[in-house]
Amino acid sequence: MNAPGPTREIGLVVFEDVLLLDVAGPADVFSRANAHLKVAGHPDRYRVTSISSYGGEVGASAGLRMQTAALPNPSICAFDTLLVAGGPGVLSARHDLLLRNWLLAVEPRVRRIGSVCTGAFILAESGLLTDKPATTHWNHAASFAELYPQVRLNIDAMYVREGKMFSSAGATAGIDLALHLVDEDFGRELALAIARELVVFRVRSAGQAQYSAALASYGGESDRMRRATEFILSRLHERVSVEDVAAHVCLGVRQLSRLFANTLGISPIQYIGAAQVDLARELLSGTQQPLEKIALRCGFSGRQHFARVFSKNVGVSPNDFRARFHP
């Protein structure tokens, strides 16, 4: 395992009422990278520091508190990479003039700078995302677009990057992003080892949609929505159609489409497609079933159709995906 260069200093920017997972997710990825490198005979290559405007204790939205260092003088800032976390407190933190000015001052001095989840609001408020592509949590996309029309928002992406600037979508997308950075620094072998240990999908592509079909089936308050998603998930192998779903919940196709748009922000056909890919990932990583059987179980017309859709959504072929999780 190749681990060249000095220790990389990672700064996690936090604030009162930060979302703990936005901080802990990436921090654990870098920590596990150090653990794997140590086994291979290398010293720590990441040193993670949580920082806030004035230092001291900062409370997370989960009720836990963390110790932070104060923002260092920009002239002596030694951070290689900065990650700005998100969370409920971001609505106040984006107006923190000290933090905004510090980010502007240190941006030329760091190799990479980015955000996790709604941390994009802070970067956008500072002007660092002006005329650049970015993403944030889908539930905050409308307000982000209204507040920062000068940012090229891509809400369908797990994470986006232009040069040294990057942003990730929801909290768990911060883990995807951290794994991507480890991959960039030390190679795919290390990133995959960490992904297997943390039981996450390393190969979620940057452009993969943010929503998970299986997860969405649990969250709807509407009884019709619940019945519709349960019907889809239980009948993928029958190549369920939008018309089938509409008939099952006693709605017209247009009414069903409005229900999905209002509840999940996507169309029924998008949900069906996401459900197919979700199930295919589970079967590829958790079973040894042949691809033809998986294709039919997930509702694809055949192996070629399955490979085409899977590759487009996940970024790798079904065979490559399986090989990476069963080396």
Side-chain angles (χ1 to χ4, degrees):
M1 189 177 296
N2 190 26
T7 298
R8 290 158 171 80
E9 300 285 347
I10 309 293
L12 298 178
V13 179
V14 303
F15 42 83
E16 199 67 30
D17 218 15
V18 69
L19 189 68
L20 190 60
L21 186 56
D22 283 8
V23 184
D28 274 338
V29 170
F30 296 125
S31 172
R32 297 319 301 160
N34 284 338
H36 283 273
L37 289 169
K38 185 175 182 180
V39 171
H42 299 287
D44 289 353
R45 289 307 187 195
Y46 291 110
R47 183 160 47 235
V48 180
T49 305
S50 58
I51 54 177
S52 62
S53 291
Y54 298 101
E57 281 196 355
V58 170
S61 58
L64 301 178
R65 303 193 66 79
M66 69 184 79
Q67 192 66 33
T68 69
L71 301 176
N73 188 312
S75 65
I76 59 171
C77 179
F79 288 117
D80 169 86
T81 302
L82 285 175
L83 285 175
V84 182
V90 78
L91 297 179
S92 297
R94 68 189 180 93
H95 296 301
D96 182 339
L97 189 60
L98 174 63
L99 175 57
R100 284 159 47 192
N101 288 339
W102 183 82
L103 288 170
L104 285 171
V106 300
E107 184 272 337
R109 301 181 63 90
V110 299
R111 185 167 64 98
R112 301 180 295 209
I113 181 170
S115 61
V116 179
C117 196
T118 54
F121 280 76
I122 295 175
L123 290 182
E125 190 71 32
S126 72
L128 289 173
L129 294 180
T130 299
D131 296 325
K132 289 184 172 65
T135 191
T136 189
H137 192 286
W138 61 267
N139 199 39
H140 299 274
S143 59
F144 186 95
E146 183 178 353
L147 286 168
Y148 310 110
Q150 71 277 20
V151 179
R152 305 200 309 269
L153 184 63
N154 181 2
I155 200 57
D156 291 327
M158 293 298 298
Y159 55 87
V160 298
R161 181 172 186 177
E162 183 174 282
K164 67 161 65 177
M165 189 71 60
F166 48 82
S167 55
S168 61
T172 56
I175 297 175
D176 289 277
L177 178 56
L179 286 165
H180 169 77
L181 298 179
V182 171
D183 187 336
E184 179 180 276
D185 291 341
F186 300 115
R188 176 154 295 181
E189 180 186 350
L190 178 57
L192 284 171
I194 299 166
R196 294 188 193 103
E197 185 177 3
L198 298 180
V199 197
V200 296
F201 287 112
R202 163 66 187 94
V203 290
R204 287 206 296 187
S205 66
Q208 186 177 325
Q210 290 190 32
Y211 53 81
S212 164
L215 179 61
S217 69
Y218 296 105
E221 295 181 0
S222 164
D223 179 63
R224 271 203 171 104
M225 191 72 214
R226 178 185 57 78
R227 289 192 290 120
T229 54
E230 288 179 353
F231 181 80
I232 291 169
L233 295 175
S234 65
R235 287 171 170 78
L236 285 177
H237 61 287
E238 299 175 2
R239 299 185 67 186
V240 62
S241 69
V242 175
E243 290 76 14
D244 294 333
V245 182
H248 179 73
V249 296
C250 302
L251 289 175
V253 170
R254 288 186 179 180
Q255 292 173 305
L256 182 72
S257 297
R258 282 196 295 271
L259 177 64
F260 269 78
N262 292 337
T263 306
L264 299 179
I266 59 175
S267 68
I269 197 66
Q270 285 177 308
Y271 182 91
I272 292 171
Q276 289 177 300
V277 173
D278 278 357
L279 179 57
R281 282 200 302 256
E282 291 180 17
L283 295 176
L284 285 168
S285 61
T287 77
Q288 292 297 330
Q289 293 181 24
L291 295 190
E292 188 69 37
K293 186 173 182 179
I294 291 176
L296 297 177
R297 171 64 184 86
C298 296
F300 297 103
S301 60
R303 181 168 174 167
Q304 289 185 338
H305 180 215
F306 168 42
R308 184 170 63 252
V309 174
F310 190 89
S311 298
K312 180 180 179 180
N313 282 273
V314 180
V316 296
S317 71
N319 274 326
D320 284 346
F321 182 92
R322 170 169 275 172
R324 293 178 187 187
F325 279 90
H326 297 281

